[in-house]
Amino acid sequence: MSKKVIIVGGHGNVSLLLTKLLTQTHSVTSIIRDAAQEQDIKDVSATPLVLSLEDDSVDVFSKAFRGYDVVYFTAGAGSKGGEERTKKVDYEGAVKVFDALEGVEGPKPRLILVSAIDIRDPNKIPQHYNEEDIAVSNRVRKAIPAYMHWKYEADKDLVNRTAFKWIILRPGGLNNNPGVGTADIGRTHLGKTVSRADVAKALACLLDREDAAGLAIDFVGGDTPIEEGLDTFVEIGQTDWLG
């Protein structure tokens, strides 16, 4: 069944790959911050909508989300603007979207949010981590402390929301290799990267997975077919979120 989808952060690499998958059968609107990006969105058969996570209001986003079935949040500051902009986009922008979803009049869209593996309380080490995982975690946290902190604050906010349904996908380090359609999903280790194309495929698969609501899903490169891995993870129903 065709759905109406809106993507916050529609010009990112994963988002453009996701859009190509979704527009084969669904209607997609991509929120972008720069009108110069409009043609790139049209080239993947989606409708561009220029809005700013930093400057536009919660009410503007609520109105934009009205009538949609699913909102994807894939936005991020990347390495631009330092900690201030990381906080502004990855935390305050995400919370603005959560508030906007709560403010939608009528049926509220579901949210599928892209976070990252190992986003957690730094004082709580997951039981399945080995020495290599701990070393990788420490190295990443030293390299991008602001990102790890503010993504954690945003995810903490989201898991307390009950007005709309949500799913968190937590991919590991990303590469630009062709997608292989397989991954390790749930209680994974940190050493393996995953292709952006396979992250996009997982996000597309989650569009119809209402049974995954309330779950946070770790996702790295591996050998299990993505659909099969998601089936198993959802059946277990044990989130990878660590509060």
Side-chain angles (χ1 to χ4, degrees):
M1 181 178 176
S2 180
K3 288 182 169 62
K4 290 188 66 179
V5 176
I6 189 164
I7 302 174
V8 182
H11 196 256
N13 292 325
V14 170
S15 296
L16 291 171
L17 292 167
L18 171 63
T19 302
K20 288 180 182 179
L21 296 174
L22 294 180
T23 51
Q24 298 176 35
T25 51
H26 304 284
S27 171
V28 179
T29 296
S30 285
I31 292 177
I32 52 177
R33 60 181 174 82
D34 186 349
Q37 300 167 340
E38 287 186 344
Q39 189 57 51
D40 293 336
I41 301 304
K42 294 175 181 178
D43 287 345
V44 289
S45 303
T47 301
L49 175 61
V50 179
L51 289 177
S52 171
L53 272 177
E54 298 173 74
D55 301 324
D56 285 304
S57 68
V58 169
D59 185 58
V60 167
F61 277 89
S62 288
K63 291 176 180 177
F65 294 157
R66 187 175 182 182
Y68 284 86
D69 298 300
V70 173
V71 174
Y72 284 93
F73 185 93
T74 63
S79 59
K80 299 177 182 177
E83 180 170 2
E84 182 178 353
R85 189 161 187 269
T86 296
K87 179 182 179 182
K88 191 77 173 175
V89 176
D90 290 278
Y91 172 63
E92 294 176 1
V95 171
K96 182 179 290 186
V97 167
F98 308 158
D99 289 342
L101 282 163
E102 290 189 346
V104 171
E105 296 180 6
K108 301 185 191 309
R110 292 185 293 119
L111 173 68
I112 301 174
L113 177 136
V114 179
S115 183
I117 200 167
D118 199 44
I119 297 296
R120 58 177 173 85
D121 183 336
N123 296 313
K124 296 181 180 179
I125 298 174
Q127 291 183 350
H128 68 280
Y129 278 21
N130 57 30
E131 290 185 5
E132 181 184 356
D133 294 326
I134 293 171
V136 170
S137 178
N138 289 338
R139 185 168 65 248
V140 171
R141 289 176 183 280
K142 288 179 181 177
I144 50 172
Y147 174 83
M148 301 299 286
H149 172 73
W150 290 115
K151 289 295 285 185
Y152 176 54
E153 292 299 318
D155 288 4
K156 277 200 300 183
D157 185 287
L158 177 58
V159 300
N160 290 314
R161 306 273 180 157
T162 58
F164 56 90
K165 294 180 178 179
W166 52 263
I167 302 167
I168 301 174
L169 186 69
R170 294 157 44 95
L174 302 177
N175 64 59
N176 289 317
N177 297 336
V180 294
T182 60
D184 282 349
I185 300 175
R187 296 293 189 270
T188 61
H189 296 289
L190 307 185
K192 291 184 286 187
T193 62
V194 63
S195 76
R196 288 176 169 82
D198 284 325
V199 174
K201 180 172 181 177
L203 290 169
C205 289
L206 289 170
L207 179 67
D208 294 316
R209 297 305 302 254
E210 294 192 40
D211 54 351
L215 296 178
I217 307 169
D218 284 358
F219 186 87
V220 301
D223 300 322
T224 303
I226 290 171
E227 295 92 336
E228 179 184 326
L230 289 174
D231 285 343
T232 300
F233 184 88
V234 172
E235 184 177 349
I236 294 171
Q238 186 177 33
T239 183
D240 286 336
W241 167 258
L242 289 170

Coordinates of all heavy atoms in Angstrom, one line a residue, residues 147-186:
Y147 N 29.1 15.3 19.1 CA 28.1 14.5 18.4 C 27.6 13.4 19.3 O 26.4 13.2 19.4 CB 28.8 13.9 17.1 CG 27.9 13.0 16.4 CD1 26.9 13.5 15.5 CD2 28.0 11.6 16.6 CE1 26.1 12.6 14.8 CE2 27.2 10.7 15.9 CZ 26.2 11.2 15.0 OH 25.4 10.4 14.3
M148 N 28.4 12.6 19.9 CA 28.0 11.5 20.8 C 27.1 12.0 21.9 O 26.1 11.3 22.2 CB 29.2 10.7 21.3 CG 30.1 10.2 20.2 SD 29.3 9.0 19.1 CE 29.2 7.5 20.2
H149 N 27.5 13.1 22.5 CA 26.7 13.6 23.6 C 25.3 14.1 23.2 O 24.3 13.7 23.8 CB 27.4 14.8 24.3 CG 26.6 15.5 25.3 ND1 26.3 15.0 26.5 CD2 26.0 16.7 25.3 CE1 25.6 15.8 27.2 NE2 25.4 16.9 26.5
W150 N 25.3 14.9 22.1 CA 24.0 15.5 21.7 C 23.0 14.5 21.1 O 21.8 14.6 21.2 CB 24.2 16.8 20.9 CG 24.8 17.9 21.7 CD1 26.0 18.5 21.6 CD2 24.1 18.5 22.9 NE1 26.2 19.4 22.6 CE2 25.0 19.5 23.4 CE3 22.9 18.4 23.5 CZ2 24.7 20.3 24.5 CZ3 22.6 19.2 24.6 CH2 23.5 20.1 25.1
K151 N 23.6 13.6 20.3 CA 22.7 12.5 19.8 C 22.1 11.7 21.0 O 20.9 11.3 20.9 CB 23.5 11.6 18.9 CG 23.9 12.2 17.6 CD 22.7 12.5 16.7 CE 22.1 11.3 16.0 NZ 21.0 11.7 15.1
Y152 N 22.9 11.4 22.0 CA 22.4 10.7 23.2 C 21.3 11.5 23.8 O 20.2 11.0 24.2 CB 23.5 10.5 24.2 CG 23.1 9.8 25.4 CD1 22.3 8.6 25.4 CD2 23.4 10.4 26.7 CE1 21.9 8.1 26.6 CE2 23.0 9.8 27.9 CZ 22.3 8.6 27.8 OH 21.9 8.1 29.0
E153 N 21.4 12.8 24.0 CA 20.4 13.7 24.6 C 19.1 13.7 23.7 O 18.0 13.6 24.3 CB 20.9 15.1 24.8 CG 22.0 15.2 25.8 CD 21.6 14.8 27.2 OE1 20.5 15.1 27.6 OE2 22.4 14.1 27.9
A154 N 19.3 13.7 22.4 CA 18.1 13.6 21.6 C 17.4 12.3 21.7 O 16.1 12.2 21.8 CB 18.5 13.9 20.1
D155 N 18.1 11.2 21.7 CA 17.5 9.9 21.8 C 16.9 9.7 23.1 O 15.8 9.1 23.2 CB 18.6 8.8 21.5 CG 19.1 8.7 20.1 OD1 18.6 9.5 19.3 OD2 19.9 7.8 19.8
K156 N 17.5 10.2 24.2 CA 16.8 10.1 25.5 C 15.5 10.8 25.5 O 14.5 10.3 26.1 CB 17.7 10.8 26.6 CG 18.8 9.9 27.1 CD 19.3 10.4 28.4 CE 19.9 11.8 28.4 NZ 20.5 12.2 29.7
D157 N 15.4 12.0 24.8 CA 14.2 12.7 24.8 C 13.1 11.9 24.0 O 12.0 11.7 24.4 CB 14.4 14.0 24.1 CG 13.2 14.9 24.0 OD1 12.2 14.6 23.3 OD2 13.1 15.9 24.8
L158 N 13.5 11.3 22.9 CA 12.6 10.5 22.1 C 12.0 9.3 22.8 O 10.8 9.1 22.7 CB 13.3 10.1 20.8 CG 12.4 9.2 19.8 CD1 11.1 10.0 19.4 CD2 13.2 8.8 18.6
V159 N 12.8 8.6 23.5 CA 12.3 7.3 24.1 C 11.2 7.6 25.2 O 10.5 6.7 25.6 CB 13.4 6.4 24.7 CG1 14.4 6.1 23.5 CG2 14.1 7.1 25.8
N160 N 11.1 8.8 25.6 CA 10.1 9.2 26.6 C 8.8 9.7 25.9 O 7.8 10.0 26.7 CB 10.6 10.2 27.6 CG 11.7 9.7 28.5 OD1 11.5 8.6 29.1 ND2 12.8 10.4 28.7
R161 N 8.8 9.8 24.6 CA 7.6 10.2 23.9 C 6.6 9.1 23.7 O 6.9 8.0 23.3 CB 8.0 10.8 22.6 CG 9.0 11.9 22.6 CD 8.4 13.3 22.8 NE 9.5 14.3 22.9 CZ 9.3 15.6 22.6 NH1 8.1 16.0 22.3 NH2 10.3 16.5 22.7
T162 N 5.3 9.4 23.9 CA 4.3 8.4 23.7 C 3.1 8.9 22.8 O 2.3 8.1 22.5 CB 3.6 8.0 25.1 OG1 3.1 9.2 25.7 CG2 4.7 7.4 26.0
A163 N 3.2 10.1 22.3 CA 2.1 10.6 21.5 C 2.2 10.1 20.1 O 1.2 10.2 19.3 CB 2.2 12.2 21.5
F164 N 3.3 9.6 19.6 CA 3.5 9.0 18.3 C 4.4 7.8 18.4 O 5.2 7.7 19.3 CB 4.1 10.1 17.3 CG 5.4 10.7 17.8 CD1 6.6 10.1 17.4 CD2 5.4 11.8 18.6 CE1 7.8 10.6 17.8 CE2 6.6 12.3 19.0 CZ 7.8 11.7 18.6
K165 N 4.3 7.0 17.4 CA 5.2 5.8 17.3 C 6.5 6.1 16.7 O 6.6 6.9 15.8 CB 4.5 4.6 16.6 CG 3.2 4.1 17.3 CD 2.6 3.0 16.5 CE 1.4 2.5 17.2 NZ 0.7 1.4 16.4
W166 N 7.6 5.5 17.2 CA 8.9 5.8 16.7 C 9.7 4.5 16.6 O 9.5 3.5 17.3 CB 9.6 6.8 17.5 CG 9.6 6.5 19.0 CD1 8.8 7.0 20.0 CD2 10.5 5.6 19.7 NE1 9.1 6.4 21.2 CE2 10.2 5.6 21.1 CE3 11.6 4.9 19.3 CZ2 10.9 4.9 22.0 CZ3 12.3 4.1 20.3 CH2 11.9 4.1 21.6
I167 N 10.8 4.5 15.7 CA 11.8 3.5 15.6 C 13.1 4.2 15.5 O 13.2 5.3 14.8 CB 11.6 2.6 14.4 CG1 10.2 1.9 14.4 CG2 12.7 1.6 14.2 CD1 9.9 1.3 13.0
I168 N 14.2 3.7 16.1 CA 15.5 4.3 16.0 C 16.4 3.2 15.3 O 16.5 2.1 15.7 CB 16.1 4.6 17.3 CG1 15.3 5.6 18.1 CG2 17.6 5.2 17.1 CD1 15.8 5.9 19.5
L169 N 17.0 3.6 14.2 CA 18.0 2.8 13.5 C 19.4 3.4 13.9 O 19.7 4.6 13.7 CB 17.9 2.8 12.0 CG 18.8 1.8 11.3 CD1 18.4 0.3 11.6 CD2 18.8 2.0 9.8
R170 N 20.3 2.5 14.4 CA 21.6 2.9 14.9 C 22.8 2.3 14.1 O 23.4 1.4 14.5 CB 21.7 2.5 16.4 CG 20.7 3.2 17.3 CD 20.4 2.4 18.6 NE 21.6 1.8 19.2 CZ 22.2 2.4 20.2 NH1 21.9 3.6 20.7 NH2 23.2 1.8 20.8
P171 N 23.0 2.8 12.9 CA 24.1 2.2 12.1 C 25.5 2.5 12.6 O 25.7 3.5 13.3 CB 23.9 2.9 10.7 CG 23.2 4.2 11.0 CD 22.3 3.9 12.2
G172 N 26.4 1.6 12.3 CA 27.8 1.8 12.6 C 28.4 2.8 11.6 O 27.8 3.5 10.9
G173 N 29.8 2.8 11.6 CA 30.5 3.6 10.7 C 30.1 3.4 9.2 O 29.8 2.2 8.8
L174 N 29.9 4.4 8.4 CA 29.4 4.3 7.1 C 30.5 4.3 6.0 O 31.5 4.9 6.2 CB 28.5 5.5 6.8 CG 27.3 5.6 7.8 CD1 26.5 6.9 7.4 CD2 26.4 4.4 7.8
N175 N 30.3 3.5 5.0 CA 31.1 3.6 3.8 C 30.3 3.7 2.5 O 29.1 3.7 2.6 CB 32.0 2.3 3.7 CG 31.2 1.0 3.5 OD1 30.5 0.9 2.6 ND2 31.4 0.1 4.5
N176 N 31.0 4.0 1.4 CA 30.3 4.2 0.2 C 30.3 3.0 -0.8 O 30.1 3.1 -2.0 CB 30.8 5.4 -0.6 CG 30.5 6.7 0.1 OD1 29.4 6.9 0.6 ND2 31.5 7.6 0.3
N177 N 30.6 1.8 -0.2 CA 30.6 0.6 -1.0 C 29.2 0.3 -1.5 O 28.2 0.7 -0.9 CB 31.1 -0.6 -0.2 CG 32.5 -0.4 0.3 OD1 33.3 0.3 -0.3 ND2 32.9 -1.1 1.4
P178 N 29.1 -0.5 -2.6 CA 27.8 -0.9 -3.1 C 27.0 -1.7 -2.0 O 27.7 -2.4 -1.2 CB 28.1 -1.7 -4.3 CG 29.4 -1.3 -4.8 CD 30.2 -0.9 -3.5
G179 N 25.7 -1.6 -2.0 CA 25.0 -2.3 -1.0 C 25.0 -3.8 -1.3 O 25.1 -4.2 -2.5
V180 N 25.0 -4.6 -0.3 CA 25.1 -6.1 -0.5 C 23.8 -6.7 0.1 O 23.6 -7.9 -0.1 CB 26.3 -6.7 0.2 CG1 27.6 -6.3 -0.4 CG2 26.3 -6.4 1.7
G181 N 22.9 -6.0 0.7 CA 21.7 -6.5 1.2 C 21.8 -7.3 2.4 O 20.8 -8.0 2.8
T182 N 22.9 -7.3 3.1 CA 23.1 -8.1 4.3 C 23.7 -7.2 5.4 O 24.3 -6.2 5.1 CB 24.0 -9.3 4.1 OG1 25.3 -8.9 3.7 CG2 23.4 -10.3 3.1
A183 N 23.5 -7.7 6.7 CA 24.0 -6.9 7.8 C 24.0 -7.7 9.1 O 23.5 -8.8 9.1 CB 23.2 -5.6 8.0
D184 N 24.7 -7.3 10.1 CA 24.5 -7.8 11.5 C 23.5 -6.8 12.2 O 23.8 -5.6 12.2 CB 25.8 -7.9 12.2 CG 26.6 -9.1 11.8 OD1 26.1 -9.9 11.1 OD2 27.8 -9.1 12.2
I185 N 22.5 -7.3 12.8 CA 21.4 -6.5 13.3 C 21.2 -6.9 14.8 O 20.8 -8.0 15.1 CB 20.1 -6.6 12.5 CG1 20.4 -6.2 11.0 CG2 19.0 -5.8 13.1 CD1 19.2 -6.4 10.1
G186 N 21.3 -5.9 15.7 CA 21.0 -6.2 17.1 C 22.2 -6.7 17.9 O 22.8 -7.7 17.5

